[in-house]
Amino acid sequence: METLLQDLKFGSRLLVKSPGFASVAILTLALGIGANTAIFSLIDAVLLRSLPVRAPRQLVVFGWKALHDPDYHNYSNYGDCGSGGSGSGCSFSVPLFERMHSRANVFSGLTAFAGPMDFNLSGNGPARMAKGELVSGDFFATLGVNSILGRTLGPADDSPSAPPALVLSYGFWKSAFGGERAAIGRVIRLNTVPFTIVGVAEPGFTNLAPGKTQDFFLPLAATPRLKIRWFGDEAVLTDPRTWWVVLLGRLKPGISPEQAQAAASTIFTNEMLHGAKPLSKPGDKPAVALTPALEGLTGQRRQLSTALFVLMAAVGLILLIACANVAGLMLARSAARQKELAVRLALGAGRGRIAGQLLTESVMLSVLGGALGVFLAYGGVHAITALVSNGADRPFPFVVAPDWRVLAFVLGVSLMTGLLFGLLPTFRGARIDLTPSLKEGSSAAPGGGALSRGRRIHLGGALVVAQVALSILALSGAGLLVRSLRNLRGVNPGFDTRNVLLFGIDPTLAGYTDAQISGLYRHLEDRFAALPGVVSASYSSNVLVSGFLWTTEVHLDGQPANSNVRSDMLAVGPGFFSTMRIPLLAGRAFSPADFALAASAAAAEKAARAASAAAAPPSPKRPAAAPGPPSPIVVNEAFAREYFGGANPVGKHIGDYQGPEADNPNSPGYRIIGLAGNTKYNNLRREIQPTMYRPLVAGGAHFELRAAADPAALIPVVRGVVGEVDANLPLFDLRTQSEQIEQGLSQQRIMAQLSSFFGLLALALACIGLYGVLAYDVARRTREIGIRVALGARPASVLRLVVGQGLGLAFAGAAIGAGAAAGLTRFLSSFLYGVRPGDLGTTAAVVLLLALVAIAACIVPARRALRVDPVRALRYE
């Protein structure tokens, strides 16, 4: 301990005596450690945090697997545990949950939940859209989550006869109700249904599935009263073929996950094969798979994890470059201290003692760099979360706060970097050749003589080559991401994105009937079209390039029975094609008569569905609506090319889906009345697919207003118009079309911006290292340069000597880095668009940038070499 304290005191004095060296080394390490800490803090928040519930390791999430999907006819997934796939999933029916709840005695608690879903909230200021999670009565008890105010929901609340009650999340209570205790007992309205606020959840319970947030929790039993449009008229609480809730169980003490899985699988298999309505066959082998909730509830982890690991790799390269940079500084410094070290050895200090002293100094630098890096990381985390949340409707959904993992990471990285960059200088310093070093004249240039010059230059040069290679690798990845972003922004979406204001309304949540919705939309469209500065207005079931995708299957006339083809589908209002400036290539757009026909067909099908629901027993298949004329549709070029060989499809008939699960076997199908140009649908990456447009006559809608100038200027007027028509119709997703596209590119943009920043930082550090090596080499070779000048060497030759050495190191590193980039950038394939990993153009641009920066790094040492006075240089000896 005494020896360590002596080393620390001596190292501190040396750092104080060399403020320039210490400042550069600490700042370089702080940049590397800070960048790594910032990204690790995000990884910790997104991937490593435990669930904010009691004893989370006792919780398991239910999944199902089978050789073939069960015979469900509605399946909804809210992203709690991934999207699932054919033969697997994590959504179940409410009747199955009830069977499991009553029979599975291996769980101390079992709950079901779904959402969050959008609700029209009124009764607390202006109407607004809010997100609510539907939960069973055992939800809070199973999770072990308490209330900070009032009470939580219980089994008594989850009953059709119970008064509607809800529990607010802590954050929503603070933001929407001002944190007032008087909020308890207040009645608010959700989709026009009155709910009483009975409690506020504890602050720590921010979410269950990572990244998914909600404003309140309400009982599953309230679902039918809320008229959630995604469920239509389905009996979601009693229909065994409607799967939409996630099941979560808490294991009883002494029960292993394997025992619980066996018990749950027995119940599930029996229900699937031998229940009142068997949904599987014995050969399907249906079973339940229980996964620890910490692993099974992925939420938004999947979509962020890959990007975070790519960024972690980028900042890892920066840390390696920083270590190599400081190692080069330490090599030069140890060379300058060789006489001091030789004297200490001559006075009896052991080589191990010298090595310990040098290594202690390295660790001191790294710890100081880590301490400064924490402050840089704190600002970096805030900058990154602000970048991620820019343009989003809600703040960053993960809580990024330092915890023991982050502090342990900083400490571990600091010690690791101290050892990493300190080992080579320590090794070289401890191997000093004692006799030549003591004979060294005091006038010698730093680092001259005693140590093997060529080898020392080789070590410093090798470090520079490594730094340049790593920076080329980082810059190549950044270049590919930037080019991909540019390519995506250059994609022609097939419609005019300029000066378009978008916003959504959902009258179904305010109690409107289908007939009222049609009239409301026509009235709003007329009001908007008449506004000053509005060129045209229309609406659609969703916004183009918003991530939303609606697909359907239809039967082509003349094809074998029960053979169907897939098509995208979008419901649109009058004037949609002209407002979005999508060209009509043949036929016509929708007329008022087309909307009347579509409304009549929808009403007939809804009536038939209601009649079936009233029948006993209800049929799992929807009844056939009364036959009528085919529904009018417009198709795109891709549809005509794929299914009609590019011929004009106007006037042709298309049948509805055929097969054993057809909703309406007697459907009159569709009649094509127009051919529209191709457009991108859900995102810019996806190839254009066959698409059908149909009249929108029910459900929520998104309006599109084309403005003569800045569309954002219309926002206050639009709010006023909707408020005048109905104050209980909140607007949501309010943005311009350009902002919508940019939001769709947010992950690509964030990756490109951060990787570019880190790539340029890596290049800057590498060039600082190159400058340091050349400056040290010029100082060491002062006598040689003086002799060259004295013998008549021209300034140009001296310049070539220094710059040539620097560029040689730079291009050696560039060659290695380019080769590594060609192989390693393939891991970025999922982020690339219109460019391949290892793209030669990108690599050439990166190398050219390196050459320019490397030349700039060589100029200062080269100018110093040109200013060498041969007389003074020769006097040193």
Side-chain angles (χ1 to χ4, degrees):
M1 179 61 69
E2 183 178 352
T3 300
L4 177 61
L5 292 176
Q6 289 177 351
D7 288 344
L8 291 174
K9 290 179 181 179
F10 186 70
S12 300
R13 289 198 297 269
L14 287 178
L15 293 180
V16 171
K17 289 180 179 179
S18 307
F21 162 79
S23 299
V24 172
I26 291 172
L27 181 59
T28 300
L29 291 171
L31 290 172
I33 295 174
N36 278 268
T37 303
I39 299 300
F40 180 79
S41 298
L42 292 174
I43 289 178
D44 173 53
V46 174
L47 303 178
L48 304 181
R49 291 287 173 87
S50 180
L51 299 179
V53 299
R54 175 176 56 85
R57 296 190 178 278
Q58 298 175 6
L59 294 175
V60 291
V61 62
F62 283 59
W64 61 266
K65 56 184 179 180
L67 296 181
H68 299 92
D69 286 348
D71 186 24
Y72 47 70
H73 60 81
N74 276 316
Y75 191 93
S76 298
N77 187 298
Y78 294 90
D80 294 277
C81 43
S83 57
S86 179
S88 65
C90 68
S91 293
F92 296 84
S93 68
V94 174
L96 184 60
F97 159 66
E98 293 171 346
R99 301 283 194 286
M100 199 75 69
H101 191 277
S102 62
R103 299 178 186 176
N105 58 4
V106 292
F107 302 102
S108 60
L110 187 64
T111 186
F113 59 93
M117 305 175 193
D118 289 325
F119 294 93
N120 183 337
L121 187 154
S122 58
N124 184 53
R128 59 181 294 179
M129 299 299 293
K131 292 187 176 294
E133 187 94 0
L134 291 162
V135 302
S136 66
D138 295 27
F139 183 75
F140 289 97
T142 299
L143 298 182
V145 173
N146 300 314
S147 62
I148 192 176
L149 198 64
R151 64 175 178 86
T152 58
L153 297 175
D157 297 302
D158 193 21
S159 168
S161 60
L166 63 79
V167 170
L168 300 175
S169 71
Y170 181 82
F172 191 65
W173 173 59
K174 283 288 191 180
S175 62
F177 295 87
E180 297 179 357
R181 300 181 65 88
I184 304 300
R186 183 181 299 180
V187 176
I188 59 175
R189 304 180 76 84
L190 300 178
N191 298 359
T192 72
V193 179
F195 278 78
T196 301
I197 301 172
V198 299
V200 177
E202 57 186 270
F205 186 55
T206 54
N207 54 25
L208 190 56
K212 292 182 61 181
T213 57
Q214 59 285 308
D215 299 321
F216 46 80
F217 306 87
L218 55 160
L220 280 175
T223 306
R225 282 178 274 187
L226 291 166
K227 304 292 184 185
I228 300 171
R229 66 187 177 104
W230 298 113
F231 295 147
D233 298 321
E234 301 292 344
V236 293
L237 296 183
T238 58
D239 184 4
R241 283 183 165 84
T242 297
W243 293 29
W244 62 290
V245 295
V246 177
L247 307 189
L248 195 69
R250 182 176 292 278
L251 299 176
K252 279 185 175 180
I255 299 295
S256 69
E258 292 76 16
Q259 291 173 310
Q261 179 166 302
S265 283
T266 300
I267 299 172
F268 178 74
T269 302
N270 184 63
E271 286 297 315
M272 292 296 98
L273 301 180
H274 310 296
K277 294 285 186 181
L279 304 182
S280 296
K281 299 176 182 178
D284 296 335
K285 298 182 179 180
V288 159
L290 299 183
T291 307
L294 292 169
E295 303 171 13
L297 294 175
T298 56
Q300 295 186 19
R301 281 177 175 169
R302 290 177 183 268
Q303 64 189 67
L304 294 175
S305 59
T306 303
L308 285 175
F309 284 131
V310 169
L311 292 176
M312 194 68 194
V315 296
L317 295 179
I318 290 176
L319 185 58
L320 289 176
I321 293 172
C323 289
N325 208 325
V326 177
L329 292 174
M330 294 286 287
L331 275 175
R333 190 164 179 266
S334 65
R337 293 174 59 191
Q338 65 178 22
K339 187 171 183 178
E340 169 212 327
L341 299 177
V343 170
R344 294 182 65 185
L345 285 171
L347 294 177
R351 295 186 183 272
R353 185 74 177 80
I354 295 295
Q357 171 64 48
L358 295 175
L359 205 57
T360 299
E361 294 173 19
S362 300
V363 173
M364 286 179 61
L365 283 174
S366 67
V367 171
L368 291 173
L372 179 58
V374 170
F375 290 97
L376 296 178
Y378 183 79
V381 165
H382 283 275
I384 293 173
T385 53
L387 182 64
V388 171
S389 303
N390 184 30
D393 297 329
R394 287 177 169 244
F396 190 62
F398 295 92
V399 179
V400 184
D403 63 2
W404 67 269
R405 279 182 295 266
V406 175
L407 296 178
F409 176 83
V410 174
L411 179 60
V413 167
S414 298
L415 294 176
M416 181 198 71
T417 54
L419 295 173
L420 186 63
F421 72 74
L423 283 177
L424 184 58
T426 299
F427 179 73
R428 295 291 299 158
R431 291 180 64 246
I432 280 183
D433 192 350
L434 187 61
T435 303
S437 296
L438 291 175
K439 290 180 179 179
E440 179 90 28
S442 62
S443 62
L451 295 176
S452 172
R453 295 181 182 180
R455 188 171 181 182
R456 188 185 317 116
I457 295 172
H458 173 69
L459 288 174
L463 290 174
V464 170
V465 169
Q467 293 178 62
V468 172
L470 293 173
S471 66
I472 287 292
L473 183 57
L475 276 174
S476 295
L480 291 173
L481 292 171
V482 169
R483 287 192 62 187
S484 294
L485 179 61
R486 186 187 64 185
N487 292 341
L488 284 168
R489 283 177 170 162
V491 169
N492 178 13
F495 59 92
D496 190 350
T497 63
R498 298 168 298 178
N499 298 338
V500 177
L501 180 66
L502 310 170
F503 61 90
I505 61 173
D506 193 347
T508 63
L509 302 182
Y512 280 69
T513 65
D514 289 349
Q516 291 172 323
I517 287 174
S518 296
L520 172 69
Y521 288 164
R522 287 194 298 271
H523 178 61
L524 286 175
E525 183 181 21
D526 293 340
R527 291 281 303 269
F528 293 142
L531 291 175
V534 174
V535 177
S536 61
S538 188
Y539 51 89
S540 56
S541 55
N542 221 296
V543 173
L544 293 173
V545 201
S546 65
F548 172 85
L549 180 62
W550 173 14
T551 63
T552 188
E553 291 188 57
V554 294
H555 179 263
L556 299 178
D557 290 359
Q559 296 298 312
N562 297 335
S563 65
N564 303 285
V565 297
R566 183 169 293 277
S567 173
D568 294 348
M569 177 77 84
L570 186 67
V572 301
F576 175 79
F577 299 103
S578 60
T579 298
M580 299 307 295
R581 295 181 179 171
I582 300 172
L584 271 177
L585 308 177
R588 60 178 177 82
F590 295 117
S591 67
D594 295 323
F595 281 86
L597 177 59
S600 176
E605 183 176 356
K606 187 173 183 178
R609 190 181 303 168
S612 174
S619 170
K621 296 179 181 178
R622 294 175 182 171
S631 298
I633 60 169
V634 173
V635 300
N636 69 344
E637 286 182 276
F639 194 101
R641 183 176 59 253
E642 182 76 17
Y643 302 134
F644 294 99
N648 186 352
V650 174
K652 295 186 181 296
H653 177 268
I654 298 173
D656 210 338
Y657 172 85
Q658 290 186 1
E661 299 176 3
D663 289 338
N664 186 0
N666 298 322
S667 169
Y670 308 94
R671 180 75 65 187
I672 301 175
I673 65 169
L675 175 65
N678 287 331
T679 65
K680 293 286 186 177
Y681 189 160
N682 60 323
N683 62 60
L684 295 176
R685 284 178 172 271
R686 183 170 176 257
E687 293 296 325
I688 294 174
Q689 302 295 321
T691 305
M692 300 164 52
Y693 300 91
R694 62 185 294 180
L696 193 160
V697 295
H702 285 72
F703 275 78
E704 296 94 3
L705 274 60
R706 182 166 295 280
D710 181 14
L714 297 173
I715 292 177
V717 184
V718 166
R719 289 188 183 277
V721 169
V722 176
E724 290 174 6
V725 173
D726 190 340
N728 291 319
L729 284 178
L731 275 62
F732 56 91
D733 294 341
L734 188 61
R735 58 178 66 93
T736 67
Q737 181 71 68
S738 299
E739 291 171 341
Q740 175 66 64
I741 292 176
E742 278 300 309
Q743 184 174 339
L745 297 176
S746 59
Q747 187 180 55
Q748 190 80 35
R749 173 176 51 82
I750 292 166
M751 289 286 292
Q753 291 176 340
L754 290 180
S755 62
S756 297
F757 172 76
F758 293 138
L760 292 174
L761 178 59
L763 179 62
L765 290 176
C767 288
I768 289 173
L770 176 62
Y771 163 79
V773 166
L774 292 180
Y776 166 70
D777 194 45
V778 167
R780 190 191 65 82
R781 299 171 67 183
T782 299
R783 181 173 178 273
E784 174 194 338
I785 294 172
I787 293 175
R788 286 176 179 268
V789 174
L791 293 176
R794 296 182 179 180
S797 63
V798 176
L799 189 66
R800 283 196 302 271
L801 176 69
V802 178
V803 175
Q805 179 184 354
L807 290 181
L809 294 174
F811 284 116
I816 297 173
L824 295 178
T825 51
R826 70 178 186 274
F827 294 107
L828 296 175
S829 296
S830 61
F831 297 99
L832 303 183
Y833 181 84
V835 62
R836 289 185 173 186
D839 178 71
L840 292 179
T842 302
T843 303
V846 167
V847 172
L848 177 61
L849 175 63
L850 167 70
L852 295 175
V853 178
I855 291 174
C858 296
I859 291 298
V860 175
R863 287 172 60 87
R864 184 177 299 169
L866 291 176
R867 291 197 299 268
V868 169
D869 185 348
V871 176
R872 295 183 60 186
L874 293 174
R875 283 177 180 171
Y876 284 154
E877 295 298 318

